[in-house]
Amino acid sequence: MLELTDRVAAVVGAASGIGQAIAIALAEQGAVVECADVDTTGVEETVAAIVAAGGTAKASTVDVRVSAEVDDLFARVVADRGRLDIAVGTPGINIRKPLIDYTDDDYTAVTDVNLRGSFHVLRGAGRIMAKQGGGSIIVISSISSRAVEPGQVIYAGTKAALAQMVRVLAAELGPAGVRVNAIAPGPVETALTVPIRSSAAWADAYAQKVAVGRWARPAEIAGPAVFLASDAATYVNGEVLFVDGGWVDLDAQFADESAVGSP
């Protein structure tokens, strides 16, 4: 049910991190993948990795903040392949500082990528998939859509807004056979989290918030994306799938191992 042979996918943000891992994972399951990103070198490296493993992929340069570029990307995919079965939007940025220290430029930088960019992906893919009568759209939210952390007001706000956008769009496009879902990762080893991981104490504090006691690898977010894109998830719509190792729903950790029951 997870097989994606001959499905046509477009992954926006495929040059690195979670987007790169998702593009590779979709290709491993047989999808034909259009890998797009503003980072031309990175996206070409992703395509090279897919092709070297026997997959089919093509590189495109796109700035997710520009609606015409996103629309043109999806139009090219349809022109080349005849349809668009899977669309994934992963770009996101964060500027960590208290709200009262935020500048107008800070606010614009974060919202332009996280909200405006995701809106462009949702709208562009949604228009095409509604006409063709089916498809799966996946975007990346965050545990910050529910978890509270000082210095995250604007980032958390965009990710919470995106979660609600997914739910409403799923209701709008569901009758046309289009599924819209989001993945909300916990701490993941990507370029976005380098400022945290560069501090051993800070990185360890994040790891200890997770039931499994460690950060996620990007590939561990790619598996859920494959699921949401596949026929295994044909009845999953309007969901925000938390892939956080147990961060959000676990309020406490056992400090005494003797208190933990043996299997």
Side-chain angles (χ1 to χ4, degrees), residues 125-147:
R127 286 173 171 171
I128 291 172
M129 292 179 181
K131 289 181 180 179
Q132 71 186 17
S136 174
I137 306 173
I138 304 162
V139 293
I140 302 298
S141 180
S142 168
I143 56 170
S144 293
S145 64
R146 280 173 55 183

Side-chain angles (χ1 to χ4, degrees), residues 23 27 40 87 157 159 168 214:
T40 302
K159 294 302 185 178
V168 177
R214 62 173 177 82

Side-chain angles (χ1 to χ4, degrees), residues 23-69:
I24 292 172
L26 293 175
E28 287 174 345
Q29 295 301 316
V32 176
V33 185
E34 186 84 13
C35 300
D37 203 294
V38 71
D39 177 0
T40 302
T41 300
V43 81
E44 289 176 348
E45 291 174 355
T46 300
V47 168
I50 291 172
V51 172
T56 303
K58 182 180 176 181
S60 291
T61 302
V62 65
D63 185 340
V64 74
R65 298 169 297 181
V66 181
S67 62
E69 293 192 17

Side-chain angles (χ1 to χ4, degrees), residues 13 19 27-28 48 50 52 58 72 76 118 122 133-135 145 158 176 184 187-188 190 213 235 237 239 249:
E28 287 174 345
I50 291 172
K58 182 180 176 181
D72 287 347
R76 288 197 305 273
S118 296
L122 291 167
S145 64
T158 63
V188 185
T190 67
Y235 207 58
N237 198 18
E239 292 295 329
D249 292 322

